[in-house]
Each structure stands twice: as structure tokens, then as C-alpha cells.
């Protein structure tokens, strides 16, 4: 440190001082000598303003300017599309306007979200708590795949489902107010990945396991992997009328201990069938310290793994017939029954398959192998014919019939190194993300020839096109969801953002329009829908409880505010309106149980209040009309200011009051 300082204090060195004085003198002499009688005009320094000047100054090409014009939204101009992206490890959902790529909202799902008061009031706290498996205390989620609800195979803009890979959970988000309404969890499987994917009319939300484990959360030695470890797929029944998953009407199918991966539900021709990829047909389970190969090589021995074909329509009947065993509260069709009843078939898929995607006409299934260079296009009708004729290449160790790969597929597209996921447009093209090569490959569904590759930056995982996984893909835009950002953005240290790259796919060739750093979670997948297909309410009727979906029984009408002391505690009926809470003084005794009923009686758009009491870890968001209940024990004596946390009016700071908690025995 000292040495550094010495080197830098050059002005203290006498020799350096002499040098500096000489330099100053020379510069001064030159300046004086160069000074004629008339003063020269200082060269005009005006920042670039016109379009040509800006292009020159910033080194922009015409394509750059075109891209800017396609994405720029002047103040007040709204986006044509909305993208719902997973918030990854943040366990929440990210809502993004497309093509501007502006983040519009986060939605709390598997994680408490303070701004929304999500996880702090009684209803949302209970929802998060009840979703805990094994009475755990999980504070995060690993969200991967948002799925918009569908009618006839196309987005209907009503609901959105998301998954938690780490702690198998599925959440239901209502698109009428963008609020998480329900989280279902299961102890049947111990990790998942193939979710959420919906059947064409959202009859079911599919959730399939990833890392095999004994079903139901019991222990078994890993040496008994083949015999006792299992995968499974759960079909969560969605009750559209209620807007909730009906756990009672849901079921599961036991699967062999391969690592099931992504899933898809067929539509049109392939309606009634689900398709689930898997890797690790080798049934390796690691054990490096015990002399086994690591999972990464142990699972990469065979040239093919299995794409699972699941006849869920027929499975419904098997469940209705009661041919199931109950595990973790779910009726489970055993592997044996699934084989007997013809519910499950395999077809080999190229090395370590990942994505599985249905073509818009529902007739084919596209599968890509992470360690392969192809996208394989399977023909649904050919596979059904093979099943019908009983033409199998034998069975696997669990008795599941294996369809011959060659006869099951129409062909393979030579894509590139590490193809993952595929989406479609409205002009007969498929777009496949290619992870290792860092490109989006555009290829013709008809000829299976790649027509173009667009470099992306870098290591793309999923990609999302507007309606790209429906019967009605729209084309227009595609977002490449890149895992690595490397040199794209100003450095933020060792943790880099993700990079969402917006690509125009409406022209003859793909055009990269915009890089959007995503500073939250690792968002795996996203879906894009027209903004005008969404019908969001902006005001709740007064007293509406968004989680209960009705006017809360404790909703407070203006004029009805009061505090009641009863046997079970102190009941506070409070309203919020610009710019006061009423009541604004609440007198309590230490140890009182407080039942706080909070109603916003606002009916003006965007007039949002927040409510907090210092010291009590309470925060509620009060959108217009919203009602929330908060129950807590006033166990900390003292004077606790309560206040509004949203700058709601000029007198927002005055929107405050006191919780006075008198100590026991009065001090
Ligand atoms: Cu490819 Cu979880 Cu869909 Cu990530 S998964 S990329
Ligand atoms: Cu209400 Cu600030």
C-alpha cells in the first residue's frame, strides 16, 4: 500500500517536479506563441442530434436504426405482445412488453413478494405455507416453464400455470388480475421438470418427474435404484369454472427410473396423448467417490433414450375404473397397469433428448438431442399404426413396448451442435435453439432443411415465438433466452445477467433487434401472447379478496370502521382511502391477538396504498377495492407507527397512525 502511494505521489518527487515545471513552461510558451491578435473561434462542440449525425457518432448501421424503430415505444405507446417469463430461482413470474422488452411486472408465486404483500397477509401466507412439502419451510422456488391456458390448442388468455422444479409444485395464476390463486404440491415425486404443459383445452396440467426417487418420499438405498426408484407423470385436473386445480380429480402414472424431462400434450390429430422425453436410460446414478462414473458420463453410454408416449384419455378411464393405488393422496396407475392397459409406449430418441414440441397441425413431434446434431421429426400417425399393429422392437426392462425408431419418424433435420427447443411460425418454419453453437436455426418443416442460422449471445436455452407452441403460431417475434451474456453488457461483477434477444422473424431472414439483460433468476422459458387477448381488471369491487375470489366476509364498508375487543382478540375493521387509515389509533395490550381487516375503499385506477406496522414484519398491498386479512399477536410492547407505503397522494406521508401496545402489568 505504502509503495503504491509513493509511486502515485509523483508531485512530491523533486525530479518529477522539475519535469512537470518544464512541461508547463513549454505548453504555456506554445499557447502564447500561437495566440494571434484576434482570438480564434473555439471549435463548436455540439452533441450529435440529427439521425445521420447520431448514426455516425455512435457507429450505427441502417439495420441498427431499423431495429431501434421497431422496438422503440414513445411515452404512452403500448406493446403489442406480452411475454410471461419464468423468474427462475426467484420463484416468481416476470411480465415483459414485446417488442419494447420493458419489464412491466413481477408476480409473486413461490416466494414471498413484499411489494405485493404476497406471503404477508393471512391468505397468501397460508397458500405458501400449505404448498410446503413434508412440513418444510421452503423460501424459494425454481421456476422453469410458464404455460398459458388453451382452448382448442390456442392461448385463451385466461390462466397461466408455472412449476417449481426443486420442490414439485404447480401454481395457478389468474390472468384477470395477474395474481397467484393456488399452489398445489405433491410428495409423490422429489423433483420435477416436465411442467407445466397443458392439454389442448386445459383439461390437465402436466407435471412429470425428473430425478427418480422412491415414490411418496420414502427411503430406499440407491443400490436398489432399478427396483425401487421411479419416475412419474402427474395429470393435475384443472377446473376452469372454479379457476383452480381439482386435486381430487387428478392422477399420476408410475414411470421407469429414467430421468423424465420435458413434456408436451398433443393437439388436433395427436390430441389425447402426452409426450415426455427422458434421458439416462442407462439408469446411472453417479457415485464418483464410490468408483462409479459421474452421472454426466454414466448417463451418456447409449445412443438413444426414450421418448414416452402416454395415452392420457385412456388413463382417465383406468382411473375412473379405480385401477389405481393411492400414494401421497394421488391415485397412481402402476407401471404394470400402464403397460397392460396400453397407456405407455416408448420410442428411441437421439442421445440425451431435451425439447419435445408438437407441430402446429398436431401431426408430428419434434425432439432434439443435447448431445446430438439432429431434430427428429416423429410422425404421430406412423406411431399409432405401429402400436395398432403391435410392431415393437421388444420391451424395456419394465415391460414397456418400444416402437422402432426408423418407422416412427418422418425424418431428421441436421441442425447443429446441441439442439434444445423448437418453436414454430405461421409460414411452415421451425426454429430450434442450438446451445453449444449459440445460434437459432430456422428450418423448413416440409423439407427438413436448415435455411438460416442466426448467431445469438450466448448459449441459448429456450426460445419463444408468439404462439410458438400452439395450433396457431403467429410468427412476428421470437425471443432467444440466452444463458450466457459474456461481453454484451456493462459489467456487474462475477454474476452476469441473462440475455433475452428479440428477433424479428417476419421477414425472409431473421433480424436481431434488441438485447435485454434479465437481472433476475435463470428464466428458462416464456410464452408470448397478444396484449389484447388479455382482459385484466384494474379495480376490484370494494372488499374483494383476490385469493378467495369473492367479497371477503370481513370486508369493511366506509362508515363501518371499528375496533371490537372479543374473547378471541381485538378485531380491527379498517379502511384505507387517500389519505388516511380509519381507525388510525389502535390501542392494544401486550399479548393481544389482533385480527386486522383491511379494505381499500378506493375505486380509482392506480390509487394504491400499502400498509405496514413497524416491528411486526407486516406488509399489505391495497389495490383499489382489495381486502386483506392479517392476524398477528401483539407480543412486542411499544409504540408502533403504522403507515402507507405507496406514495399515493400529496398527503401520503400523513397517511399514518399508531399501534399502541401497552406492556403487561402496565408500565
Ligand atoms: Cu431447457 Cu428447464 Cu425447459 Cu431450461 S429447460 S433451457
Ligand atoms: Cu396511501 Cu400513501
Amino acid at each position: 500500500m505504502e509503495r503504491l502511494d509513493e509511486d502515485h505521489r509523483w508531485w512530491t518527487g523533486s525530479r518529477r517536479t522539475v519535469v512537470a515545471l518544464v512541461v508547463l513552461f513549454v505548453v504555456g510558451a506554445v499557447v502564447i506563441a500561437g495566440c494571434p491578435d484576434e482570438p480564434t473561434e473555439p471549435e463548436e462542440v455540439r452533441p450529435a442530434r440529427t439521425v445521420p449525425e447520431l448514426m455516425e457518432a455512435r457507429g450505427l448501421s441502417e439495420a441498427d436504426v431499423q431495429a431501434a424503430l421497431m422496438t422503440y415505444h414513445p411515452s404512452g405507446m403500448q406493446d403489442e405482445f406480452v411475454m410471461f417469463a419464468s423468474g427462475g430461482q426467484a420463484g416468481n413470474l416476470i411480465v415483459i412488453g414485446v417488442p419494447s422488452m420493458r419489464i412491466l411486472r413481477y408476480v409473486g408465486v413461490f416466494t414471498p413478494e413484499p411489494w405485493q404483500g404476497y406471503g404477508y397477509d393471512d391468505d397468501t401466507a397460508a397458500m405458501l405455507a400449505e404448498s410446503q412439502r413434508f412440513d418444510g419451510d421452503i423460501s424459494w422456488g425454481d421456476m422453469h416453464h410458464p404455460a398459458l391456458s388453451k382452448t382448442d390448442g390456442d392461448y385463451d388468455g385466461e390462466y397461466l400455470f408455472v412449476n417449481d422444479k426443486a420442490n414439485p409444485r404447480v401454481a395457478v395464476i389468474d390472468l384477470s388480475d395477474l395474481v397467484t390463486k393456488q399452489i398445489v404440491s405433491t410428495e409423490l415425486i422429489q423433483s420435477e421438470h416436465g411442467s407445466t404443459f397443458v392439454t389442448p383445452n386445459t383439461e390437465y396440467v402436466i407435471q412429470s418427474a425428473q430425478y427418480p426417487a422412491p415414490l411418496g418420499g420414502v427411503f430406499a438405498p440407491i443400490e436398489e435404484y432399478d427396483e425401487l426408484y421411479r419416475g412419474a407423470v402427474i395429470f393435475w385436473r384443472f377446473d376452469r369454472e372454479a379457476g383452480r386445480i381439482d386435486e381430487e380429480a387428478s392422477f399420476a402414472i408410475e414411470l421407469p427410473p429414467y430421468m423424465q424431462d420435458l413434456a408436451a400434450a398433443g393437439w388436433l390429430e395427436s390430441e389425447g396423448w402426452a409426450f415426455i422425453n427422458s434421458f439416462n436410460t442407462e439408469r446411472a446414478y453417479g457415485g464418483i467417490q464410490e468408483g462409479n462414473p459421474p452421472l454426466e458420463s454414466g448417463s451418456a453410454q447409449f445412443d438413444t433414450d426414450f421418448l414416452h408416449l402416454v395415452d392420457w384419455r385412456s388413463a382417465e378411464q383406468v382411473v375412473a375404473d379405480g385401477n389405481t393405488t393411492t400414494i401421497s393422496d394421488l391415485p397412481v396407475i402402476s407401471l404394470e397397469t400402464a403397460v397392460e392397459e396400453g397407456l405407455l409406449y416408448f420410442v428411441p430418441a437421439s442421445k440425451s433428448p431435451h425439447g419435445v414440441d408438437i407441430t402446429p397441425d398436431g401431426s408430428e413431434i419434434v425432439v432434439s438431442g443435447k448431445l446430438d446434431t439432429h431434430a427428429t421429426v416423429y410422425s404421430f400417425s406412423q406411431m399409432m399404426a405401429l402400436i395398432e399393429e403391435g410392431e415393437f422392437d421388444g420391451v424395456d426392462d419394465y415391460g414397456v413396448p418400444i416402437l422402432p425408431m426408423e418407422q416412427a419418424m418422418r425424418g431428421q433435420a441436421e441442425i447443429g451442435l446441441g439442439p434444445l427447443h423448437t418453436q414454430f411460425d405461421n409460414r411452415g418454419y421451425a426454429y430450434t435453439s442450438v446451445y453449444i453453437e449459440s445460434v437459432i436455426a430456422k428450418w423448413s418443416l416440409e423439407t427438413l432443411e436448415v435455411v438460416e442460422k442466426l448467431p445469438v449471445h450466448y448459449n441459448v436455452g429456450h426460445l419463444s415465438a408468439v404462439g410458438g407452441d400452439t395450433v396457431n403460431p403467429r410468427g412476428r417475434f421470437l425471443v432467444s433466452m440466452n444463458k450466457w451474456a459474456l461481453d454484451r453488457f456493462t459489467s456487474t461483477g462475477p454474476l452476469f445477467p441473462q440475455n433475452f434477444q428479440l428477433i424479428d422473424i417476419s421477414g425472409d431472414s431473421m433480424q436481431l433487434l434488441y438485447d435485454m439483460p434479465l437481472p433476475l433468476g435463470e428464466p428458462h422459458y416464456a410464452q408470448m401472447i397478444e396484449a389484447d387477448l388479455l382482459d385484466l381488471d384494474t379495480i376490484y369491487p370494494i372488499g374483494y379478496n383476490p385469493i378467495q375470489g369473492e367479497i371477503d366476509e370481513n370486508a369493511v364498508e366506509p362508515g363501518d370502521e371499528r375496533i371490537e375487543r372479543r374473547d378471541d382478540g381485538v378485531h380491527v375493521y379498517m379502511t384505507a382511502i387517500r389519505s388516511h387509515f380509519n381507525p388510525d389509533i389502535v390501542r392494544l395490550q401486550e399479548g393481544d391477538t389482533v385480527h386486522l381487516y383491511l379494505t381499500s375503499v378506493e375505486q380509482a385506477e392506480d390509487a394504491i396504498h400499502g400498509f405496514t406496522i413497524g416491528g411486526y414484519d407486516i406488509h399489505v398491498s391495497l389495490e383499489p377495492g382489495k381486502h386483506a386479512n392479517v392476524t398477528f399477536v401483539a407480543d412486542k410492547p411499544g409504540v408502533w407507527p403504522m403507515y402507507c407505503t405507496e406514495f399515493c397522494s400529496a398527503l401520503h406521508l400523513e397517511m399514518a397512525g399508531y399501534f399502541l401496545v401497552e406492556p403487561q402489568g402496565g408500565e
Side-chain angles (χ1 to χ4, degrees), residues 210-222:
Q210 180 126 79
Y211 305 114
L215 295 183
V218 297
F219 176 82
I222 201 152

Side-chain angles (χ1 to χ4, degrees), residues 87-346:
Q89 296 91 330
N92 60 10
L93 183 81
I94 308 169
V95 186
I96 299 164
V98 177
S100 76
M101 304 306 278
R102 294 175 294 188
I103 294 181
L104 302 172
R105 264 284 302 275
Y106 294 122
V107 180
V109 184
F110 297 118
T111 315
E113 207 293 334
W115 170 51
Q116 294 154 43
Y118 180 78
Y120 298 87
D121 67 89
D122 292 354
D123 290 286
T124 55
M127 186 163 65
L128 277 174
E130 282 160 22
S131 77
Q132 305 287 341
R133 303 156 66 248
F134 305 105
D135 299 321
D137 195 9
I138 305 291
S139 63
W140 73 293
D142 187 17
M143 189 186 291
H144 279 233
H145 307 108
L148 287 157
S149 60
K150 288 175 177 170
T151 298
D152 296 331
D154 196 6
Y155 304 149
D156 53 38
E158 291 189 359
Y159 295 93
L160 184 85
F161 308 91
V162 287
N163 70 318
D164 175 5
K165 168 171 171 163
N167 319 284
R169 290 186 284 183
V170 166
V172 180
I173 296 163
D174 192 329
L175 294 181
S176 70
D177 61 356
L178 258 182
V179 169
T180 304
K181 305 285 174 162
Q182 182 191 24
I183 304 174
V184 296
S185 61
T186 179
E187 296 178 358
L188 180 74
I189 52 178
Q190 304 319 319
S191 81
E192 59 101 283
H193 192 217
S195 79
T196 50
F197 300 94
V198 299
T199 53
N201 287 295
T202 323
E203 299 94 335
Y204 291 98
V205 182
I206 299 173
Q207 180 182 40
S208 55
Q210 180 126 79
Y211 305 114
L215 295 183
V218 297
F219 176 82
I222 201 152
E223 289 70 25
E224 293 178 55
Y225 191 93
D226 290 356
E227 298 77 31
L228 297 177
Y229 286 44
R230 289 292 179 267
V233 54
I234 302 171
F235 290 85
W236 294 107
R237 176 82 203 181
F238 185 61
D239 178 346
R240 198 185 281 262
E241 280 295 292
R244 301 287 188 275
I245 283 170
D246 181 355
E247 294 178 70
E248 304 280 298
S250 304
F251 68 92
I253 303 175
E254 180 189 9
L255 297 173
Y258 311 134
M259 291 175 179
Q260 280 82 29
D261 204 25
L262 294 197
W267 52 67
L268 300 173
E269 192 184 328
S270 54
E271 178 156 2
W273 287 76
F275 306 91
I276 306 167
N277 255 332
S278 69
F279 56 94
N280 195 20
T281 317
E282 297 83 352
R283 286 171 285 168
Y285 50 78
I288 301 171
Q289 293 293 313
E290 296 163 21
N292 293 337
L295 187 57
E296 62 172 322
S297 55
S299 69
Q301 304 304 305
F302 302 165
D303 281 338
T304 54
D305 290 290
F306 290 134
L307 171 66
H308 299 32
L309 279 57
V310 180
D311 181 351
W312 62 262
R313 274 276 182 234
S314 303
E316 274 184 324
Q317 194 51 52
V318 172
V319 174
D321 295 344
N323 199 357
T324 57
T325 317
T326 301
I327 311 175
S328 302
D329 299 329
L330 275 171
V332 181
I333 300 174
S334 72
L335 198 39
E336 209 186 335
T337 306
V339 171
E340 266 170 30
E341 299 284 339
L343 308 179
L344 179 65
Y345 300 92
F346 291 152

Side-chain angles (χ1 to χ4, degrees), residues 577-580 602 606-609 644 646-655:
I577 193 164
R578 282 159 290 171
S579 297
H580 58 269
E602 295 280 2
D606 207 2
I608 296 161
H609 304 285
C644 172
E646 289 269 337
F647 211 111
C648 54
S649 73
L651 293 174
H652 148 78
L653 292 174
E654 287 79 353
M655 191 166 176

Side-chain angles (χ1 to χ4, degrees), residues 144-145 165 193 262 354 420-421 461-462 483 522 524-525:
H144 279 233
H145 307 108
K165 168 171 171 163
H193 192 217
L262 294 197
H354 187 50
L420 297 186
H421 301 285
H462 275 275
K483 308 290 185 188
E522 183 187 307
H524 289 257
Y525 184 45

Side-chain angles (χ1 to χ4, degrees), residues 564-582:
E564 287 175 11
R565 185 170 276 280
R566 295 185 215 151
D567 289 349
D568 64 345
V570 180
H571 297 251
V572 182
Y573 296 85
M574 187 182 284
T575 56
I577 193 164
R578 282 159 290 171
S579 297
H580 58 269
F581 294 108
N582 180 16

Side-chain angles (χ1 to χ4, degrees), residues 3 36 65 69 120 188 235 241 307 376-377 386 456 584:
R3 191 193 178 90
V65 175
L69 294 179
Y120 298 87
L188 180 74
F235 290 85
E241 280 295 292
L307 171 66
T376 305
V377 181
L386 291 169
V456 290
D584 56 355

